[in-house]
């Protein structure tokens, strides 16, 4: 039988074992930290996103309607809100594009000023974004002419939007009714000027609707042609290939003809809701909106275009999924749907409409915003034009 340990010996051994356990614990902790560090160092590192240069434009051809607002303008405000501090944002009022169709000079002058007021009223910030009149920057037309000289006419002939615009201006029932003898050179070549609008700032991202994607593809083609022929080397292209920026745009249809898009030029003024319409006018137009005689509310753009259009508008105004909204109205009638759509549209338009009425009268302020915006735009495009001229041998 072993002799029992004395108390002093037990004390010494107790301290010894505690020190050993503490030392082991520290070693295990260090081991775990080293292992965790190794895992983190071997994990794929997320690359920081490159700064974007975003550009979009709108024609000054009258007060924007609901389709313009939900399809483009409201998305510009979201882009500004969500943009990284390093992103550059350009929003242009494209007066030269407006000239591709006949314009009344006095009306165009007023429309240009009103469009700038509207962009400010909806929430675009001239300190954060570069807001300018396209026709205040001659670099657009110089670059446009240069691109005219490198773009094959075959690529232009494949463009289809000029037919759409010409048909709309003539109130034609379809593009088949368009007489090509009415096509002017400006309307035929305006996609090239649009490419110059984009590439003058080396824009990397362009938020456009489905009807303009064809033009963005042409812009990429023109950039590739120019880079291939004039860039210093294949690894140093002068122009980027701008990317289509997918934004949650809504295709809003005419209230009187839900088989076609809502349009400023449609002869029936009740077919569109303007940003400046009063609550009474909004309600009146929606009460007259074409639907169908089928009981209940369902979302079916093919079989029920009018009803589906109203659901699309309501969902966009409420920032909800259209199918979710349709389910909520399944057992309701068109009268209730139209009333709720009117309330939702008024809720969206009320603030911008009030702000627009205030700003549009401040002519000195609008002129100052336009002047500063043009200066900032020219400063950036001037560097690009200088590079292009050197590449071409013009300087």
């Amino acid at each position: 039988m072993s002799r029992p340990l004395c108390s002093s010996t037990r004390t010494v051994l107790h301290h010894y074992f505690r020190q050993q356990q503490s030392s082991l614990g520290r070693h295990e902790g260090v081991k775990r930290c080293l292992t965790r560090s190794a895992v983190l160092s071997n994990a794929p590192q997320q690359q920081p996103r490159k700064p974007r240069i975003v550009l979009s434009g709108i024609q000054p051809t009258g007060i924007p309607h609901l389709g313009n607002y939900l399809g483009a303008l409201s998305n510009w405000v979201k882009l500004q809100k969500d943009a990284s501090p390093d992103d550059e944002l350009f929003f242009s009022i494209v007066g030269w594009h407006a000239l591709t169709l006949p314009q009344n000079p006095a009306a165009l002058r007023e429309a240009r000023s009103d469009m700038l007021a509207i962009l400010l009223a909806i929430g675009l910030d001239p300190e954060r974004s570069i807001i300018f009149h396209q026709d205040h920057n001659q670099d657009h037309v110089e670059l446009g002419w240069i691109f005219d000289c490198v773009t094959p006419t075959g690529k232009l002939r494949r463009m289809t939007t000029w037919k759409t615009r010409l048909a709309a201006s003539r109130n034609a029932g379809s593009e088949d009714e368009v007489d090509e003898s009415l096509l002017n050179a400006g309307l035929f070549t305006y996609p090239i000027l649009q490419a110059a609008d984009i590439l003058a700032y080396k824009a990397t991202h362009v938020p456009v609707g489905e009807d303009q994607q064809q033009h963005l593809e042409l812009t990429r083609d023109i950039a590739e042609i120019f880079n291939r022929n004039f860039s210093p080397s294949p690894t140093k292209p002068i122009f980027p290939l701008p990317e289509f920026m997918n934004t949650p745009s809504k295709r809003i249809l005419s209230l009187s003809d839900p088989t076609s898009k809502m349009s400023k030029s449609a002869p029936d003024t009740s077919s569109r809701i303007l940003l400046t319409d009063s609550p009474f006018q909004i309600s009146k137009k929606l009460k007259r909106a074409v639907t169908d005689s089928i009981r209940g509310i369902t979302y079916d753009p093919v079989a029920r275009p009018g009803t589906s259009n109203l659901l699309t508008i309501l969902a966009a105004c409420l920032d909800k999924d259209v199918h979710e909204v349709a389910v909520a109205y399944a057992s309701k009638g068109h009268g209730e749907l139209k009333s709720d759509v009117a309330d939702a549209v008024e809720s969206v338009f009320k603030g911008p409409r009030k702000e627009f009425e205030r700003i549009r009268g401040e002519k000195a302020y609008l002129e100052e915003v336009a002047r500063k915006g043009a200066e900032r735009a020219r400063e950036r495009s001037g560097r690009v034009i200088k590079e292009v001229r050197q590449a071409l041998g013009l300087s």
Side-chain angles (χ1 to χ4, degrees), residues 69-87:
Y69 181 81
L70 296 177
L73 298 180
S74 63
N75 287 318
W76 291 6
V77 179
K78 291 177 183 177
L79 280 173
Q80 178 181 264
K81 179 181 177 182
D82 298 337
S84 165
D86 294 332
D87 291 340

Side-chain angles (χ1 to χ4, degrees), residues 356-367:
F356 168 66
E357 294 299 340
R358 182 186 69 82
I359 295 175
R360 75 185 306 190
E362 299 182 6
K363 298 299 183 183
Y365 170 64
L366 291 173
E367 289 173 3

Side-chain angles (χ1 to χ4, degrees), residues 7-23:
S7 83
S8 60
T9 304
R10 283 197 302 270
T11 301
V12 171
L13 289 175
H14 175 70
H15 284 296
Y16 171 77
F17 284 122
R18 287 188 62 184
Q19 288 174 353
Q20 292 299 310
Q21 288 173 344
S22 176
S23 177

Side-chain angles (χ1 to χ4, degrees), residues 41-291:
S41 65
N42 291 329
Q45 298 296 310
Q46 185 175 2
Q47 295 295 324
R49 180 173 65 78
K50 292 182 179 180
R52 301 176 302 178
I53 302 174
V54 181
L55 181 139
S56 195
I58 188 169
Q59 290 197 37
T61 50
I63 299 296
H65 55 62
L66 184 62
N68 300 137
Y69 181 81
L70 296 177
L73 298 180
S74 63
N75 287 318
W76 291 6
V77 179
K78 291 177 183 177
L79 280 173
Q80 178 181 264
K81 179 181 177 182
D82 298 337
S84 165
D86 294 332
D87 291 340
E88 285 190 279
L89 307 176
F90 294 82
F91 299 113
S92 177
I93 300 164
V94 289
W96 278 318
H97 288 296
L99 297 180
T100 56
L101 293 174
Q103 302 290 336
N104 178 288
L108 179 60
R109 188 175 297 110
E110 183 179 3
R112 290 172 71 258
S113 179
D114 281 351
M115 186 57 72
L116 179 57
I118 284 169
L119 296 186
L120 299 173
I122 64 173
L124 290 183
D125 180 0
E127 297 298 324
R128 175 62 186 90
S129 302
I130 299 177
I131 307 170
F132 67 105
H133 289 288
Q134 171 209 38
D135 50 87
H136 283 180
N137 186 357
Q138 298 295 319
D139 291 341
H140 289 241
V141 288
E142 179 175 346
L143 190 58
W145 171 250
I146 291 169
F147 287 164
D148 277 340
C149 296
V150 301
T151 305
T153 56
K155 289 186 178 293
L156 285 176
R157 293 188 185 281
R158 287 194 288 272
M159 298 290 108
T160 58
T161 48
W162 67 265
K163 289 186 178 181
T164 304
R165 294 193 63 202
L166 198 57
S169 70
R170 298 285 171 174
N171 294 322
S174 71
E175 295 176 9
D176 296 333
E177 299 176 21
V178 171
D179 182 357
E180 290 196 20
S181 66
L182 301 172
L183 174 64
N184 61 56
L187 184 56
F188 183 59
T189 62
Y190 93 91
I192 299 179
L193 179 58
Q194 193 174 63
D197 296 336
I198 296 167
L199 296 174
Y201 306 96
K202 295 191 175 183
T204 60
H205 292 77
V206 183
V208 294
E210 292 179 3
D211 58 336
Q212 293 291 317
Q213 286 190 41
Q214 191 181 42
H215 287 185
L216 187 57
E217 288 300 321
L218 177 65
T219 299
R220 290 170 60 90
D221 289 344
I222 291 172
E224 284 186 321
I225 292 170
F226 194 93
N227 289 339
R228 187 166 58 248
N229 288 285
F230 301 107
S231 289
S233 73
T235 58
K236 294 182 179 180
I238 292 177
F239 293 113
L241 302 185
E243 298 179 16
F244 166 68
M245 199 170 194
N246 188 17
T247 54
S249 59
K250 311 297 180 183
R251 189 171 188 270
I252 306 303
L253 304 177
S254 164
L255 299 179
S256 58
D257 177 16
T259 62
S260 60
K261 284 179 64 176
M262 187 174 286
S263 169
K264 298 176 189 176
S265 58
D268 184 2
T269 57
S270 65
S271 66
R272 56 190 173 270
I273 297 174
L274 302 179
L275 184 67
T276 52
D277 281 347
S278 67
F280 174 77
Q281 289 172 314
I282 292 171
S283 178
K284 183 178 179 181
K285 289 178 179 181
L286 282 164
K287 284 179 180 177
R288 297 177 58 185
V290 172
T291 52

